[in-house]
Amino acid sequence: MLPPTLSATIDQSTWGRALTAAERALVMATATERRVEAGQALVCVGDEAAHWLGLIDGLAKMSITATDGRVTTLTGASRGAWFGEGSLLRHEPFRYDVIALRDCRVAQ
């Protein structure tokens, strides 16, 4: 099986299939991919939400850390998951951390 591509990830998403040709062209012209190694942060609490994020490949967890250091995992995210739209649309910083559990390729 070939590794997924940024283009295929967008095309296979529910929202990507609903794009017009012009909208898809704009998304592809502005979307970027970055790699995040296992154990590293995709997003940290307080980071500016400048992008909507999707996992092209990999596994990550969204969590919050209490003031006493206890970590609560909110959810896991795997290939094809998109997140961060709430923070992006509200123009506010992220309220959670997203940590790569495996090496990840991230669409922005």
Side-chain angles (χ1 to χ4, degrees), residues 28-77:
M28 292 310 301
T30 57
T32 60
E33 178 182 328
R34 71 180 166 112
R35 294 178 184 268
V36 179
E37 293 181 12
Q40 300 299 309
L42 281 70
V43 167
C44 292
V45 169
D47 285 353
E48 175 188 358
H51 305 281
W52 188 21
L53 303 169
L55 280 179
I56 299 169
D57 201 17
L59 181 66
K61 73 171 183 172
M62 293 181 182
S63 61
I64 54 173
T65 304
T67 55
D68 65 3
R70 289 181 298 148
V71 176
T72 300
T73 298
L74 304 172
T75 190

Side-chain angles (χ1 to χ4, degrees), residues 14-29:
T14 301
W15 64 269
R17 290 190 303 268
L19 296 174
T20 66
E23 291 166 339
R24 185 187 185 287
L26 176 60
V27 168
M28 292 310 301

